[in-house]
Each structure stands twice: as structure tokens, then as C-alpha cells.
Amino acid sequence: MARRKYAGRMASLYLHIPFCVRKCEYCDFVSGVAGEAEIDRYLRALDRELELRFPGGLAPDTVFIGGGTPTRLSATQWLTLGGILRRRLDLSRCAEFTSEINPGTLTPEKADALRAAGVDRASFGVQSFHTRYLQGLGRAYEAGTATAAVQMARNAGIARVSMDLMFALPGQTPAELREDVDAALAHDTEHLSLYALTYEDDTPLTRQLQSGAVTPCPEELEREMFGLVGDMLAARGLPRYEVSNFARAGAACRHNLVYWTLGEWHGVGAAAHGLIGGQVHRNPPDWKVYCDAIEAGRLALQTEAAMPRFERAETLLLMGLRLTQGVELRRFRNLAGEGFHTLCAAPAARLIEQGLLELNQTHVRCTNEGLFVLDEIIVQLAAGMKAMPGTVNDQ
């Protein structure tokens, strides 16, 4: 199968599985509960979408299966998905194939089926090793399952292991966070993602916050925890390479780096989106609407107009400043049509004076303090660009 190029760059592939055992208290992702027949229907739609969109096949650089909970699928359904991917994709030169895994839903049979499908990197959504925090997050069914799940994956031949943890949980202490990090590292984890708990609109946890049933972590304590994990993991050989991600040498997530550097990727499945040739492609979020369209013989895919220059520049800063290496100034100019020094001079000068931003001849990057207030930095830089006269909003 020929290896394809899109807009001069190789493309990655994201595939969305929108099903879960149950909805977590904090989650606002596109996901929900479904029966076996509904999941089988969805897999047939995925097969058909791949066939319609890539009749000559696709040879992705990286593959990431996310959700939802991909391991909500049964072992038999994973074998079906693996057969679909072998028919529609050339994985012979795929550099990284990741699947998200919720520890409480993995079995040895599923682990074998994941490996047979091509998965070589497991991303475990552990969140915490403390049962009381899992209960607060609506994930009590996973308490105590992480160790067994990691062993299942390794027994199946999935050697690369990443774990997601959460911090700034209501009532959590720095000592408990240290215990979680130590527990994760005890599994010989090569990659860790640590996310501060956020209260998303219209989620059960946010409603608990609004009613006073939970008390949020104080900002100063969250800041302390942010610094604690950075220092702790750097000392253990997993330095921060992105605001929430830490990895041993050579173990950074290649797929996510495509997003953070505004590379090119295809999105397949309900709610999935991609970026190819400067155009954003989206599928509808409702998986039943998605299946209806595919079964009618048409793509559910919606193609938006190419991003204007301002949006390209803003998105590159939004994503690229998450990385500790920052944004390459030449790449910014190529996407924005103007240099960073021209478009962002005034806000950048203020942020540099405040110790939040650093600028050299090749890159602009956040300081450690700046990473903690990244959202505010992006707001200030974007506002500065919008205030610039000229053609920054042109195509």
C-alpha cells in the first residue's frame, strides 16, 4: 500500500470510541453508555468511514484511539476493530500506536486483542491510587486495578506504559500527591500526565461545587502541587516536556506532539476532528447521527474553511506554548504571515518583564511560572495580535 502525503507532511490518525461503563463526575467529553449491539453498529460505521475517506488506504505516522473508554469494548469487539484497521490502514511504518485504557475495564483477553490490533503503547487513566479520590471522581470501580491492568498489558506485549494522574482534588494534600506519583513510577512508567482538576460546565462535579458539597483546591496549593510534580519527576528522570506531561528520554507522546506543533492529522469516528492542508474536518458529536449518515452511504464529515492567519497564529501559540521548548519563531511566521516580534511585541514585552515568557533568536517559550498561568498568557498575546492594524485576519 502506497504511503500518502498530505500538504507535504505525513498525517497521523485519531479514532474516537465514545462509549463508557459509566460517566465520570468531572467528564465533559463526548461519551456515554451503550449496549453491545449499538457498539457493533458503531464499529461497522467506523469501517465504512475509513473505506469512504481513504479508498486507497492510509499509512499514518501515529495512531491514537481515545474516548470515552476504548476498553469498554469487549475482547471480541477489539478483535473486530483490529480486523478493520488491518484492512483499511498500512501500519508497517507507524511510529506509535496508543490506546487509552481505563484499568477497571481491561482483561487479559482484551489486552491480547489490543496488541493484535497493533497497539504498542498503553495510556492508563489511573487518576489516583487513593480510593477516596476515585470515589469522588466517580471511578470507585477502578480502585486497586491499575497494577493488575499494567501487568496484563505487558504480558500481552504492550511494553510502553503511560499513566494519567490528577491533582488539586478536593481535600488532596501534597503528601498524597507524592504517594500517587511514587505509585505510578513503581510500575516502571515511562510517561506521566498530571492534570489539575477542572470544573467543566454541566458536569456532576461542577454541580457539587456550586451546591457547596465540595470545596475546590486553593490556588496557592494547586501552584505548590504544580511545582512539586515538576521537581519530583525531573529528579526521577522524567522531566516536564509539556505543561502537563513528563517523560523519560525518547518517550514523549509522538501523537500528541502532532497536535501541539499544529501538524496534520485525520479524525475518524463521532466527535473526531482533524487538520489537513490548513482545513479543519469534524464529525458530528452524536454517535447515532454519525452512524445514520454513514449507513446512508455518505460521510458525516464536515469540512470547514481554511484557518485565517490570525487563527493559525493563535492556535499555534495556544498549543505550542504548552511545550517547554516553546514555539519556533520561523514556524510562527510561516503560519501567521507575520513575525512574532511584529504581532506580539507589546504583550510579549510585558510578559517577559513579569518573568512569564522568554524569547530568544529561535523560540518563544513560557517560564515555569508562565506555564502555570498559560491560559492568561494566551489571552494577552491574542489580544495584542487582534489590536494590531493590518491584515493578520486575512487568509
Side-chain angles (χ1 to χ4, degrees), residues 313-333:
E314 185 178 26
T315 302
L316 181 63
L317 289 177
L318 173 67
M319 303 305 288
L321 284 178
R322 299 178 62 89
L323 296 168
T324 55
Q325 70 182 22
V327 173
E328 185 183 13
L329 298 177
R330 181 174 60 179
R331 174 95 168 115
F332 181 91
R333 175 181 285 276

Side-chain angles (χ1 to χ4, degrees), residues 203-387:
T203 62
L205 191 61
T206 296
R207 290 192 285 274
Q208 292 176 42
L209 175 70
Q210 293 167 342
S211 70
V214 299
T215 302
C217 176
E219 182 176 335
E220 284 307 309
L221 180 56
E222 181 179 335
R223 187 185 297 267
E224 178 186 346
M225 291 179 171
F226 181 83
L228 183 155
V229 296
D231 293 342
M232 185 177 179
L233 287 169
R236 303 285 287 275
L238 286 80
R240 175 182 271 122
Y241 73 96
E242 190 266 350
V243 62
S244 301
N245 287 273
F246 308 78
R248 300 194 188 280
C253 181
R254 296 188 185 189
H255 186 87
N256 284 342
L257 284 169
V258 173
Y259 302 149
W260 295 325
T261 58
L262 214 61
E264 301 210 325
W265 73 94
H266 297 281
V268 171
H273 74 277
L275 178 65
I276 298 292
Q279 290 189 322
V280 178
H281 308 262
R282 298 183 187 277
N283 276 334
D286 187 319
W287 70 266
K288 293 181 181 179
V289 172
Y290 164 81
C291 287
D292 287 343
I294 298 295
E295 290 166 359
R298 65 180 188 276
L299 287 172
L301 195 68
Q302 302 166 359
T303 302
E304 299 181 358
M307 287 185 182
R309 287 182 178 179
F310 172 77
E311 188 174 342
R312 291 199 298 269
E314 185 178 26
T315 302
L316 181 63
L317 289 177
L318 173 67
M319 303 305 288
L321 284 178
R322 299 178 62 89
L323 296 168
T324 55
Q325 70 182 22
V327 173
E328 185 183 13
L329 298 177
R330 181 174 60 179
R331 174 95 168 115
F332 181 91
R333 175 181 285 276
N334 288 343
L335 287 176
E338 296 281 354
F340 180 83
H341 294 83
T342 300
L343 296 180
C344 301
R350 291 194 301 271
L351 293 165
I352 290 170
E353 184 177 355
Q354 294 166 8
L356 303 177
L357 206 64
E358 294 177 350
L359 185 63
N360 60 35
Q361 290 185 338
T362 61
H363 286 76
V364 57
R365 61 181 294 273
C366 290
T367 64
N368 287 337
E369 184 71 16
L371 286 172
F372 184 75
V373 291
L374 178 60
D375 290 347
E376 178 58 30
I377 288 175
I378 297 301
V379 168
Q380 291 191 37
L381 292 175
M385 286 191 289
K386 289 175 181 175

Side-chain angles (χ1 to χ4, degrees), residues 61-64 94-101 106 114-115 118-124 149-163 184 187-192 238 241 246-257:
D61 275 359
T62 64
V63 176
F64 196 106
C94 180
E96 176 187 273
F97 190 145
T98 302
S99 177
E100 293 179 346
I101 297 174
L106 192 65
L114 264 71
R115 186 68 191 103
V119 173
D120 59 18
R121 181 177 181 272
S123 180
F124 289 94
V150 170
Q151 193 57 54
M152 289 176 202
R154 290 208 164 110
N155 289 345
I158 304 173
R160 302 187 59 194
V161 169
S162 175
M163 287 189 182
H187 293 80
D188 195 25
T189 305
E190 66 173 20
H191 185 283
L192 274 177
L238 286 80
Y241 73 96
F246 308 78
R248 300 194 188 280
C253 181
R254 296 188 185 189
H255 186 87
N256 284 342
L257 284 169

